[in-house]
Amino acid sequence: MYITRHQPPASPRGPDFDALVAEAGLWRGVATDMFGDDDVEAGAKALWAKSMRSEYRLTERFVARDGSGSPLGVGSLSTPRRENLHLAEMGIVVDPRFRRRGIGSALYDEMTAAARAHGRRTFQSFTWEPLEPAGERSLKGVQGDGALDPDGPSARFLLGRGFRLIQIETMSGLDVPSSEELDAAASAARAATPADYEVLTWRGATPDELLSDMALLHVAMSSDVPMGDADVEPAQVDPKRVLDGDNAFLAAGLDLLFAAVRHVPSGRLVAFTRLIREPDRAVAGQWETLVLRDHRGHGLGMLAKTHNHAVLPAVWPQVRRLITGNASENEHMLAINRRLGYRPIAASGWFELRTDA
Ligand SMILES: CC(C)(COP(=O)(O)OP(=O)(O)OC[C@H]1O[C@@H](n2cnc3c(N)ncnc32)[C@H](O)[C@@H]1OP(=O)(O)O)[C@@H](O)C(=O)NCCC(=O)NCCS
């Protein structure tokens, strides 16, 4: 066994992109084995989009290979470049046929050495988990609800390396209702919202005149949502970074649908949500619903979500299911999702290891 190291691919061809295809395939296998389908997992194009802008975040991949070069396992090491310069996010996945042979450990050792060489001292990692812990014991995050089985392979792997569980995220799925139902939900949300808020929707890149407001919303998204006691600082987002982020998804072939809420008296955007879809998939992600603190309690999260959903049948008629994730302690957002018809389908553990190095 040997390990190759790959920089973010410049195009969807070549060994660097193959590493990402192998990674996406292995993670989709993990999801299918656990949840019966791979709706919660990203495909290679989405991974490519996320690793396209190395000036904000460098994502390298490490591939463990057998003697003939075939992948046995893949690790991704992601190091933020604008903020969180102490942090490295890592994900390791090993082909189930080759587990318990030290491949995950070998990838981990090489990746932590690379992370330290980048000057990183806090490591974070995510796992997929069943909604209810399978074993007899259960482990809770530092804050919030939800529990996972500390004796499952992924938790054992991370806990054995000194990681602790920060938070459990609940993933929920919505079978897309009829357009009549979606329109009715949007109208009801509109009727329940004060008149000095208006909804804007757009597809693709954020229009220039909204970039500054969207930058502020992204900063709030990185600091004003439940995060346990994770060793994370707010993102530094300017208008160019918002546009670069949108354009990376579009360049990789993904599509974006946004809904934002404007506070008419001030003219500022105060809430947003987005839907993201990989090409040819019948499932789309509902990401990042955020309402600025001063404007909470007026039904704006519901307003943004219902209006984005209502656009779906016309622009993405093939999409049959939406997937979203929330911190298990984010009761308010979970309640909104339940009212919209989302049902919990999976959980995800967020682990962290702080080192002195
Ligand atoms: C977690 C994972 C990467 C481990 O890969 P691996 O190649 O099997 O790991 P290793 O053989 O190096 O095992 C290292 C240690 O992890 C623990 N471990 C791994 N699998 C385990 C299992 N099924 N049961 C109990 N402990 C396990 C053990 O302590 C093991 O050491 P040991 O074999 O000496 O007892 C693999 O199970 C996997 O791909 N899981 C799905 C993806 C995932 O959730 N990754 C975790 C986020 S990084």
Side-chain angles (χ1 to χ4, degrees):
M1 194 269 292
Y2 64 100
I3 294 176
T4 54
R5 182 171 178 172
H6 301 267
Q7 297 306 306
S11 79
R13 279 173 297 280
D16 295 334
F17 195 80
D18 291 347
L20 208 136
V21 171
E23 182 189 14
L26 287 171
W27 277 111
R28 287 173 83 162
V30 170
T32 304
D33 287 347
M34 205 175 284
F35 311 124
D37 60 53
D38 63 4
D39 284 355
V40 293
E41 258 304 338
K45 292 270 175 65
L47 297 184
W48 187 38
K50 286 191 204 168
S51 46
M52 219 177 250
R53 302 302 305 224
S54 300
E55 66 269 46
Y56 304 121
R57 168 181 289 273
L58 176 66
T59 303
E60 297 168 286
R61 292 190 164 77
F62 295 75
V63 183
R65 299 179 186 275
D66 67 12
S68 62
S70 298
L72 304 170
V74 183
S76 75
L77 177 68
S78 186
T79 47
R81 307 314 255 191
R82 284 285 164 90
E83 64 283 318
N84 288 309
L85 300 180
H86 63 290
L87 192 67
E89 291 168 15
M90 49 180 77
I92 299 175
V93 59
V94 174
D95 185 321
R97 292 169 297 173
F98 305 107
R99 288 185 190 164
R100 297 310 289 274
R101 299 183 192 181
I103 294 170
S105 301
L107 284 166
Y108 179 82
D109 290 346
E110 188 127 344
M111 289 162 63
T112 46
R116 286 183 209 283
H118 284 309
R120 311 298 159 131
R121 56 178 167 73
T122 295
F123 307 143
Q124 296 186 343
S125 194
F126 291 87
T127 61
W128 286 125
E129 305 287 343
L131 268 181
E132 298 296 333
E136 284 175 11
R137 300 198 305 145
S138 69
L139 178 68
K140 277 180 159 312
V142 175
Q143 274 176 10
D145 310 322
L148 59 75
D149 177 4
D151 300 313
S154 314
R156 277 279 286 272
F157 182 81
L158 292 169
L159 295 170
R161 278 157 184 75
F163 283 72
R164 70 202 169 101
L165 178 63
I166 296 184
Q167 190 181 68
I168 295 184
E169 190 172 43
T170 304
M171 309 300 296
S172 306
L174 171 71
D175 293 331
V176 176
S178 69
S179 54
E180 291 75 23
E181 289 170 288
L182 293 173
D183 288 343
S187 301
R190 175 71 270 181
T193 311
D196 50 4
Y197 293 100
E198 66 179 5
V199 188
L200 288 72
T201 57
W202 66 93
R203 182 178 185 179
T206 300
D208 286 352
E209 66 276 16
L210 301 179
L211 289 171
S212 309
D213 280 2
M214 286 299 287
L216 293 177
L217 288 168
H218 277 291
V219 173
M221 189 72 217
S222 74
S223 56
D224 220 1
V225 294
M227 285 195 286
D229 66 346
D231 187 14
V232 178
E233 57 192 39
Q236 293 178 20
V237 188
D238 57 15
K240 179 175 184 308
R241 188 170 178 178
V242 174
L243 190 58
D244 286 345
D246 291 351
N247 282 335
F249 284 113
L250 300 174
L254 281 78
D255 199 6
L256 302 168
L257 287 178
F258 290 89
V261 180
R262 180 186 273 146
H263 178 236
V264 179
S266 64
R268 308 305 298 266
L269 298 187
V270 296
F272 86 108
T273 187
R274 82 166 142 179
L275 291 164
I276 181 154
R277 182 186 176 212
E278 295 174 56
D280 308 321
R281 284 190 81 177
V283 61
Q286 157 89 69
W287 287 10
E288 301 158 315
T289 306
L290 177 94
V291 180
L292 290 183
R293 207 161 268 282
D294 287 352
H295 296 269
R296 291 183 187 167
H298 300 304
L300 303 188
M302 196 67 157
L303 186 67
K305 277 193 171 177
T306 52
H307 279 71
N308 223 12
H309 289 178
V311 178
L312 270 175
V315 292
W316 295 345
Q318 309 86 342
V319 169
R320 55 167 178 80
R321 196 182 198 197
L322 300 178
I323 303 288
T324 197
N326 305 101
S328 56
E329 64 260 46
N330 197 347
E331 254 315 308
H332 185 62
M333 196 55 76
L334 283 164
I336 290 183
N337 287 339
R338 271 195 295 273
R339 271 160 53 208
L340 286 167
Y342 280 90
R343 295 288 168 260
I345 52 173
S348 169
W350 182 18
F351 291 81
E352 180 180 87
L353 170 65
R354 300 182 192 194
T355 73
D356 297 330

